[in-house]
Amino acid sequence: MMPLQIKVIDNMYLYIKWDDGNNISIKLVNLRRDCPCAICNSDREQKGSKYIPIYSGEQLKIKNIHMIGNYAVGIDWADEHNTGIYDFAILKKMAIQ
């Protein structure tokens, strides 16, 4: 399972076309909220499950998307946050149904 195309749509969604024929969209707010990096995981753990983050426009704007090996993508957000590695399985689970 490899992405053939990844792009941001309307500054609101990450669109991924996969080599298995599936196409998915993920809301950028969900992508940022569920960032898998250690800093974000720690922040979520400290604030608890009832915490609802509110993001600014810069925090939801993607500057760059890059492949990490054959298993994940890295996302550089406009606010300089760039430590999350989103493996392909996580991205598929985050898809809007």
Side-chain angles (χ1 to χ4, degrees), residues 62-78:
I62 294 177
K63 286 187 353 184
N64 186 38
I65 301 167
H66 54 279
M67 295 294 292
I68 298 177
N70 290 329
Y71 71 98
V73 296
I75 296 177
D76 299 332
W77 299 91

Side-chain angles (χ1 to χ4, degrees), residues 6-96:
I6 303 174
K7 64 182 179 179
V8 176
I9 298 177
D10 298 330
N11 292 317
M12 291 182 62
Y13 299 95
L14 184 72
Y15 169 85
I16 305 173
K17 180 178 182 178
W18 298 96
D19 64 358
D20 65 3
N22 288 317
N23 302 321
I24 64 170
S25 293
I26 304 167
K27 288 183 179 180
L28 295 183
V29 69
N30 294 343
L31 197 65
R32 182 65 188 253
R33 181 193 66 218
D34 296 333
C35 174
C37 80
I39 294 168
C40 291
N41 277 327
S42 176
D43 197 35
R44 284 189 297 271
E45 199 173 282
Q46 289 176 0
K47 293 181 178 171
S49 63
K50 294 187 182 193
Y51 174 70
I52 300 172
I54 298 173
Y55 298 105
S56 70
E58 287 294 299
Q59 290 173 303
L60 295 178
K61 185 176 179 182
I62 294 177
K63 286 187 353 184
N64 186 38
I65 301 167
H66 54 279
M67 295 294 292
I68 298 177
N70 290 329
Y71 71 98
V73 296
I75 296 177
D76 299 332
W77 299 91
D79 69 345
E80 304 303 321
H81 185 71
N82 63 1
T83 55
I85 296 174
Y86 298 82
D87 73 50
F88 299 155
I90 288 173
L91 292 171
K92 281 215 165 188
K93 286 180 186 176
M94 294 176 75
I96 299 169

